[in-house]
Amino acid sequence: MSLRRWSVTLLAAFVALLTTAPLLWMVSVSFMAPGEAAQFPPPLLPADPTMANYHTLFGSFGIGRFLANSLLVSTLATILALIFTIPAGYAFAKLRFRGRDATFRLLVAALVVPGQIGMLPLFLELKAMGLVNSYAGALVPWLAGIFGIFLVRQYCLSIPDEMLEAARIDGASEGQILRRIVLPILTPIIVTLALFVFLGSWNDFMWPLIVLADQNLYTLPVALAAMSREHVQDNELMMAGAVVTTLPVLILFLALQRFYLSGLLTGSVKG
Amino acid sequence: MAGLSIRDARKNFGETEVLKGVSIDVADGEFTVIVGPSGCGKSTLLRAVAGLEELTSGRISIGDRDVTDLPPSERGIAMVFQSYALYPHLTVRENMAFGLKIAKASKTEIDDAVRRAAAILHIEPLLDRKPAALSGGQRQRVAIGRAIVRQPQIFLFDEPLSNLDADLRVRMRYEFASLHRQLGTTTLYVTHDQVEAMTLADRIIVLRDGIIEQVGSPRALYESPANIFVAQFLGTPRMNILAAVVADDGSAQLIDGGCVALPPLAAPLAPGTPVSVGIRPEDIEIGAAAGALPFTITFVERLGGLATVHLQAADGGDPIACQRRDDGSLREGEKVVALLPPDQLHLFDAIGRAIPREARK
Ligand SMILES: Nc1ncnc2c1ncn2[C@@H]1O[C@H](COP(=O)(O)OP(=O)(O)OP(=O)(O)O)[C@@H](O)[C@H]1O
Ligand SMILES: [Mg+2]
């Protein structure tokens, strides 16, 4: 390898280390005894690794329940978001209907409004509908994200019309075209979108905090926040909680990597 | 199998009228080529037949069925697109079987149809590949295969060869011809390439700006074009058109100098009538002869066997093209005389319509 290649590799490794260092330390601290991380200078590795923090978390604190809540909410949010977003994005890109472009412009314009501004009206709406303090209420904001629709639409625009027309001539209904032609081509973008929604709803703190009052319904971030109020000094326990929160999404992310990095459209048309 | 009939088809895109009343009859089993310059509405017409584009007015029937209001899949057509439009995530086999699968045909039926089409097009070894792993020519074949599997009453082709390189285009052209001979399916084929039109068609339809300029066999269109547009559209290099005025003795006085005798006409022209005289490059005879006109050679394009010689009239004006066997004798700058044989002249009136000749006995 040339010097140039080496220096690029070294630089990349350095940046990677810089970004992962806090994560690695988080894991390391979660195995420390109470108070150990507060020493100065802070130790990199636990002197005597212990599972005590995890025992507390899953035992008396009952994080298992919140983990399950989070998994349920995020999974449902992802599935529902895909169900609504993909057909919408496809329709905005490829189907002709009255007011299509005007509606889409309106949606995109709404993207510039920060989500926090909509929270109060949304909360009042849900209250009127009796959805406050339920998972349904927690899921509503994820159902049809504008960004997701936008993403799917942009990707659909690259699907040649002639391919859909060929399918129409082959006798496929619009539903069959979506299912059998468009969805397989969209795989990379669907995985990406699913990941975004899952991560977003998994890490979301504000909305579940607002809408979920019952402790038993808390998602992980809300539960951790509640815990940190009681255990401000307990860095090691908090880090164990953070590990439980980040690990599942990290695994998901790595597992799906190969899907959203690949493109499928090659070979349909000339080229 | 069935014929196709289009009655007074009109199509507007917003304000612009793209088809301005097109009527076409294609006989059962006929290979008809629609040819015309870019943007004249060829694709729009073909897509209307396929049912992908709704006509503003007019009727389309296939066989004895009026299909104007039927969806594409129920019209009994199959279409091959310029971009091939294969499904990228499916194998060649699945691409070809897609329509039958949608129609819930039985497995053996599908296998039979795919195998038969693959055999016709010699693509059996490719059946398990994805489109990305095929060359342009192979993709083209698969697209045709997908059309054959549908067993349509009418094949629709929209510039199917224009994405292929020159060599492959000639080969595929030959294959289209033999495919049509083998299957005998009524075919509507769109191209802007006049060579494809001349070589493939039983009948050519020349379209310009949404209007049919002329319909006829390749030979008929070449020999008696109805107007200057058709005359210049078919044949390369294109027909020379020379402005002229009818002289007192019934010959034509060329604006750029010289006088040519005219062929016998159905009705004599009054002296002073402005006309356009057309002559194909291969009909000009260089060399001394009675009635030959003086020219200067401005440029010689040597194509190997043939040469295109550009001749400038003594009095100036645009050079005219003359095509002949290249014997290496002609040089640029040389002065020659050339004959425009009266028999080979085409005569057009002031607005470009052909002036009829005396009926041949
Ligand atoms: N969906 C559409 N909306 C508006 N105008 C259109 C549409 N489709 C085609 N046109 C216009 O109609 C005219 C004819 O188009 P068409 O595609 O039929 O031409 P064509 O003869 O096939 O040309 P080419 O040889 O370039 O393919 C063009 O001027 C084109 O701009
Ligand atoms: Mg076209």
Side-chain angles (χ1 to χ4, degrees):
Chain A
M1 245 190 291
S2 69
L3 191 67
R4 206 189 141 97
R5 289 275 299 278
W6 267 110
S7 49
V8 169
T9 311
L10 267 176
L11 187 71
F14 179 69
V15 171
L17 188 70
L18 219 57
T19 34
T20 48
L23 284 173
L24 295 175
W25 199 59
M26 170 184 83
V27 176
S28 165
V29 171
S30 74
F31 292 108
M32 291 181 188
E36 193 178 340
Q39 297 166 30
F40 193 85
L44 277 183
L45 294 171
D48 181 19
T50 164
M51 291 295 286
N53 296 320
Y54 290 97
H55 283 302
T56 318
L57 272 183
F58 283 93
S60 60
F61 185 63
I63 202 172
R65 158 148 209 128
F66 305 124
L67 188 64
N69 288 350
S70 263
L71 272 177
L72 181 73
V73 169
S74 293
T75 308
L76 281 177
T78 307
I79 293 171
L80 290 170
L82 292 182
I83 289 177
F84 285 103
T85 313
I86 293 171
Y90 169 67
F92 275 123
K94 288 295 177 189
L95 301 184
R96 295 185 208 165
F97 55 90
R98 192 184 291 275
R100 179 184 78 173
D101 295 339
T103 317
F104 186 70
R105 273 198 297 274
L106 196 72
L107 283 182
V108 173
L111 261 184
V112 303
V113 179
Q116 287 82 349
I117 289 183
M119 280 185 176
L120 184 62
L122 189 59
F123 179 76
L124 296 176
E125 246 175 74
L126 292 187
K127 199 170 158 198
M129 291 158 73
L131 292 179
V132 167
N133 203 17
S134 73
Y135 286 141
L139 289 172
V140 164
W142 296 102
L143 290 189
I146 298 176
F147 180 70
I149 294 176
F150 182 75
L151 203 67
V152 174
R153 173 182 179 266
Q154 294 315 100
Y155 202 85
C156 280
L157 286 178
S158 68
I159 300 177
D161 285 334
E162 293 189 343
M163 206 160 80
L164 307 177
E165 287 169 349
R168 242 160 249 156
I169 291 176
D170 270 340
S173 66
E174 293 305 317
Q176 284 171 319
I177 292 176
L178 182 60
R179 264 200 320 282
R180 304 179 70 153
I181 306 291
V182 177
L183 281 191
I185 294 174
L186 286 184
T187 308
I189 207 69
I190 291 174
V191 174
T192 310
L193 182 63
L195 218 54
F196 277 0
V197 176
F198 194 90
L199 283 178
S201 57
W202 182 271
N203 292 331
D204 190 22
F205 170 67
M206 271 289 261
W207 183 249
L209 181 71
I210 293 174
V211 89
L212 300 175
D214 185 347
Q215 282 234 6
N216 284 327
L217 297 181
Y218 276 5
T219 57
L220 268 178
V222 181
L224 278 182
M227 177 175 86
S228 75
R229 254 171 271 136
E230 296 166 33
H231 303 262
V232 201
Q233 299 302 324
D234 231 340
N235 288 326
E236 295 74 17
L237 184 64
M238 291 308 300
M239 285 301 160
V243 169
V244 173
T245 311
T246 36
L247 215 56
V249 287
L250 201 67
I251 291 171
L252 187 73
F253 202 82
L254 292 176
L256 294 179
Q257 183 156 263
R258 71 189 177 91
F259 285 105
Y260 57 89
L261 290 181
S262 72
L264 258 175
L265 208 59
T266 40
S268 156
V269 293
K270 64 183 170 182
Chain B
M1 258 175 283
L4 165 74
S5 145
I6 303 173
R7 283 281 140 276
D8 199 30
R10 288 169 193 278
K11 174 72 189 176
N12 292 32
F13 285 114
E15 293 290 285
T16 41
E17 194 171 25
V18 174
L19 298 178
K20 305 171 182 171
V22 173
S23 297
I24 291 177
D25 285 291
V26 179
D28 188 4
E30 195 175 44
F31 198 119
T32 300
V33 175
I34 302 177
V35 67
S38 188
C40 69
K42 307 181 295 289
S43 297
T44 307
L45 184 61
L46 202 70
R47 292 165 53 80
V49 175
L52 298 171
E53 209 78 71
E54 209 175 316
L55 287 178
T56 309
S57 71
R59 312 297 302 174
I60 298 172
S61 28
I62 292 173
D64 44 18
R65 283 191 315 153
D66 186 322
V67 300
T68 316
D69 301 313
L70 292 182
S73 57
E74 289 168 28
R75 294 188 172 202
I77 54 100
M79 183 154 172
V80 174
F81 296 90
Q82 182 177 353
S83 66
Y84 320 144
L86 301 177
Y87 312 126
H89 56 294
L90 301 180
T91 62
V92 168
R93 185 194 307 278
E94 291 164 335
N95 260 281
M96 289 166 64
F98 187 78
L100 290 178
K101 246 189 209 147
I102 294 282
K104 299 205 165 29
S106 74
K107 184 144 179 11
T108 48
E109 207 178 325
I110 294 177
D111 281 349
D112 277 357
V114 170
R115 194 149 356 95
R116 212 170 325 118
I120 292 172
L121 294 161
H122 313 291
I123 51 174
E124 293 109 321
L126 308 177
L127 282 177
D128 294 312
R129 291 206 206 161
K130 295 265 178 75
L134 301 178
S135 71
Q138 291 170 331
R139 283 178 206 176
Q140 179 65 79
R141 268 169 229 262
V142 175
I144 298 169
R146 188 170 62 180
I148 293 178
V149 168
R150 288 181 54 74
Q151 300 201 328
Q153 296 182 302
I154 297 187
F155 278 128
L156 305 173
F157 294 105
D158 192 355
E159 311 215 16
L161 302 185
S162 57
N163 282 334
L164 302 178
D165 60 43
D167 202 32
L168 200 54
R169 207 176 312 163
V170 174
R171 235 175 46 222
M172 285 304 289
R173 206 162 68 206
Y174 169 78
E175 286 200 26
F176 267 108
S178 56
L179 189 70
H180 182 249
R181 224 170 300 131
Q182 194 174 346
L183 299 176
T185 310
T186 314
T187 302
L188 200 56
Y189 183 108
V190 160
T191 178
H192 63 255
D193 182 319
Q194 51 100 9
V195 179
E196 271 171 44
M198 293 296 284
T199 50
L200 284 173
D202 294 323
R203 222 152 49 107
I204 295 180
I205 295 172
V206 182
L207 198 64
R208 175 166 67 151
D209 283 343
I211 293 176
I212 293 181
E213 294 281 343
Q214 195 174 1
V215 180
S217 70
R219 182 132 215 103
L221 262 57
Y222 193 77
E223 288 181 347
S224 354
N227 52 47
I228 293 183
F229 176 79
V230 176
Q232 291 204 306
F233 196 81
L234 300 178
T236 40
R238 56 192 206 155
M239 184 188 280
N240 299 294
I241 300 290
L242 306 161
V245 176
V246 177
D248 292 338
D249 63 356
S251 67
Q253 177 68 46
L254 301 180
I255 302 295
D256 293 335
C259 199
V260 291
L262 293 181
L265 299 173
L269 293 169
T273 313
V275 290
S276 298
V277 176
I279 181 144
R280 295 216 178 264
E282 66 269 26
D283 291 334
I284 297 177
E285 293 165 11
I286 294 180
L293 303 171
F295 291 97
T296 309
I297 297 177
T298 56
F299 185 51
V300 181
E301 286 174 278
R302 300 189 193 279
L303 308 170
L306 292 174
T308 304
V309 183
H310 296 260
L311 303 170
Q312 174 106 49
D315 295 0
D318 290 333
I320 63 174
C322 159
Q323 193 162 57
R324 64 202 302 274
R325 281 200 54 75
D326 186 15
D327 52 11
S329 65
L330 296 173
R331 298 267 171 269
E332 282 160 27
E334 196 177 325
K335 292 197 186 322
V336 293
V337 290
L339 179 68
L340 314 184
D343 253 8
Q344 310 296 343
L345 294 184
H346 300 260
L347 220 54
F348 304 96
D349 65 14
I351 57 170
R353 284 176 314 195
I355 297 172
R357 295 217 205 168
E358 190 182 54
R360 296 219 179 113
K361 277 151 215 139

